[in-house]
């Protein structure tokens, strides 16, 4: 098997393939604990490739047969604000899918699935689920939907109408599959399927991944995407470095100002702060 293709890129391409909806349906069925049927892939901003493709788009966006919108993000590099990116993704999706004249009860249910290959947050588990519930301050009871609201929203609990989040910390998996969902997580971590695995869509995923890694067309697409990714990372790094340098210069100027105020010479101040003598002379006390 070729090892030149980044696995996270291969997984995104694999799940995004319309011909392989059975694979995506299998993964989501195991994760959500119910049989999921994908209605269609949303051809929107989420699937456009470009220099800013990780700045304001999601990796994969589909709608299932129940009309729910499912976001799938695959993130391999540490991102300090990824939790807020998850929030932004669901919030933007709510707004983007509000048509003119649409009533609130027609807002689509959103499920955010996040496959992260770094240690996000602090916790001992490798799969986390987040939902919204309202707890009584005094009685500690959970606010539920009335019978009329259950009919309106076609749901039994409030948490079923608000966005839900799944975080799978792939690298934290201990490689011991206790159920079929773990079999999927093991595949996402190690690119292998153990003999006897029964998870839905998993055998097909392994077969298609092997084909993908041997495909010349896939390699060409990967090299293009890799160039875009490197350019993006370079631009981000340059902006960070520029900001860092400005910050260091500002600190040096403040230090030089204090030195001059204490009566130190321009020459000594320049040596202490690393500034040039001309930069020190330009400081106004």
């Amino acid at each position: 098997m070729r090892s030149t293709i980044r696995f996270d890129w291969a997984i995104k391409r694999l799940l995004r393939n319309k011909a392989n909806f059975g694979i995506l349906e299998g993964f989501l069925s195991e994760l959500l604990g119910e049989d999921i049927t994908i209605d269609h892939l949303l051809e929107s901003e989420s699937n456009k490739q470009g220099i800013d493709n990780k700045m304001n788009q999601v990796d994969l966006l589909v709608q299932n047969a129940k009309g729910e919108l499912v976001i799938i993000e695959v993130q391999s590099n540490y991102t300090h604000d990824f939790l807020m990116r998850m929030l932004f993704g669901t919030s933007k999706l709510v707004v983007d899918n509000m048509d003119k004249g649409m009533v609130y009860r027609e807002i689509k249910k959103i499920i955010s699935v996040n496959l992260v290959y770094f240690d996000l947050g602090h916790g001992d588990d490798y799969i986390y689920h987040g939902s919204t519930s309202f707890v009584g301050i005094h009685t500690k009871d959970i606010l539920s939907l009335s019978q009329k609201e259950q009919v309106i929203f076609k749901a039994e609990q409030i948490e079923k109408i608000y966005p839900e989040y799944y975080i799978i910390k792939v690298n934290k998996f201990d490689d011991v599959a206790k159920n079929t969902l773990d079999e999927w997580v093991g595949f996402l971590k190690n690119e292998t399927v153990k003999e006897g695995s029964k998870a839905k869509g998993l055998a097909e995923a392994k077969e298609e991944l092997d084909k993908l890694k041997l495909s010349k067309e896939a390699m060409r697409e990967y090299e293009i995407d890799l160039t875009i990714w490197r350019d993006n990372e370079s631009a981000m790094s340059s902006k960070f470095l520029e900001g860092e340098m400005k910050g260091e210069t500002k600190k040096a100027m403040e230090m030089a100002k204090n030195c001059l105020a204490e009566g130190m010479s321009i020459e000594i101040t320049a040596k202490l702060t690393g500034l040039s003598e001309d930069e020190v002379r330009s400081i106004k006390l």
Side-chain angles (χ1 to χ4, degrees), residues 238-250:
S238 296
K239 288 180 180 179
F240 177 79
L241 182 59
E242 182 181 343
E244 197 174 49
M245 290 175 65
K246 286 182 179 178
E248 291 298 324
T249 300
K250 185 177 180 180

Side-chain angles (χ1 to χ4, degrees), residues 75-93:
Q75 182 70 29
S76 58
N77 297 319
Y78 173 72
T79 305
H80 69 280
D81 56 357
F82 188 77
L83 289 169
M84 298 309 293
R85 174 177 168 78
M86 289 165 47
L87 175 62
F88 175 80
T90 55
S91 301
K92 187 173 186 295
L93 201 52

Side-chain angles (χ1 to χ4, degrees), residues 57-98:
Q57 292 98 31
V58 297
D59 289 328
L60 180 63
L61 176 61
V62 298
Q63 180 170 309
N64 65 24
K66 295 165 61 177
E68 299 170 333
L69 300 177
V70 183
I71 298 172
I72 298 179
E73 288 273 28
V74 182
Q75 182 70 29
S76 58
N77 297 319
Y78 173 72
T79 305
H80 69 280
D81 56 357
F82 188 77
L83 289 169
M84 298 309 293
R85 174 177 168 78
M86 289 165 47
L87 175 62
F88 175 80
T90 55
S91 301
K92 187 173 186 295
L93 201 52
V94 169
V95 174
D96 287 350
N97 283 271
M98 281 290 290

Side-chain angles (χ1 to χ4, degrees), residues 26-51:
F27 169 63
L28 292 177
S29 295
E30 299 292 358
L31 177 64
L32 305 180
E34 59 179 297
D35 288 332
I36 299 296
T37 301
I38 301 300
D39 187 67
H40 61 281
L41 177 71
L42 296 182
E43 299 290 354
S44 63
E45 290 297 318
S46 63
N47 300 316
K48 290 182 179 178
Q49 300 296 318
I51 192 66

Side-chain angles (χ1 to χ4, degrees), residues 244-273:
E244 197 174 49
M245 290 175 65
K246 286 182 179 178
E248 291 298 324
T249 300
K250 185 177 180 180
K251 288 180 182 179
M253 294 293 279
E254 287 294 329
M255 182 179 175
K257 188 174 182 179
N258 292 333
C259 289
L260 293 174
E262 291 294 326
M264 292 185 184
S265 67
I266 292 176
E267 293 79 7
I268 293 176
T269 299
K271 288 179 180 179
L272 287 173
T273 61

Side-chain angles (χ1 to χ4, degrees), residues 112-127:
S112 173
V113 179
N114 303 274
L115 308 174
V116 296
Y117 288 80
F118 58 89
D119 195 14
L120 178 65
H122 179 70
D124 296 327
D125 210 327
Y126 50 92
I127 303 178

